[in-house]
Amino acid sequence: QVQLVESGGGEVQAGGSLRLSCAASGRYSMGWFRQAPGKEREFVSTINWSGSHTDYADSVKGRFTTSRDNAKNTVYLQMTSLKPEDAAVYYCAARYGLRTSDNRGNYDYWGQGTQVTVSS
């Protein structure tokens, strides 16, 4: 059983930055998803186990960066130029194997989520 623990959420003004962390051990590809009230959970970013490949939703490209430090068993989501529409609960997820995915159905484990609030 894989336990994922997100941290780093909070409230920030529009244009500001936050870095989310997800503690996760094991050889997994990882994803970040988010869910705003009344909306479906949506893909944000993904990274393979080695960190050599990443992919992003169009809405966050150029503003968000995902990375990982396998020595620390941690995956990061650096968020910059935050907009009010980025406000959501952010979840990290893990999937077996070395390939990334933007499909939440392909992930095997999920964290509990961390709230990100962006004030205008």
Side-chain angles (χ1 to χ4, degrees), residues 21-104:
S21 300
C22 175
S25 60
R27 198 179 182 96
Y28 300 98
S29 289
M30 301 294 293
W32 287 97
F33 292 79
R34 66 187 182 187
Q35 188 167 18
K39 296 187 177 181
E40 290 191 354
R41 192 170 299 187
E42 65 175 5
F43 167 73
V44 175
S45 71
T46 182
I47 186 168
N48 65 351
W49 182 82
S50 68
S52 62
H53 179 73
T54 57
D55 195 15
Y56 299 90
D58 287 344
S59 59
V60 307
K61 278 181 182 176
R63 300 187 299 121
F64 291 12
T65 303
T66 190
S67 61
R68 66 192 303 161
D69 183 341
N70 287 338
K72 296 182 179 180
N73 293 327
T74 303
V75 178
Y76 302 99
L77 182 67
Q78 178 68 51
M79 305 184 293
T80 63
S81 302
L82 282 160
K83 305 175 182 180
E85 52 263 43
D86 294 318
V89 177
Y90 282 71
Y91 298 89
C92 68
R95 68 184 302 256
Y96 291 109
L98 305 180
R99 297 178 64 181
T100 57
S101 176
D102 62 2
N103 185 336
R104 64 178 189 260

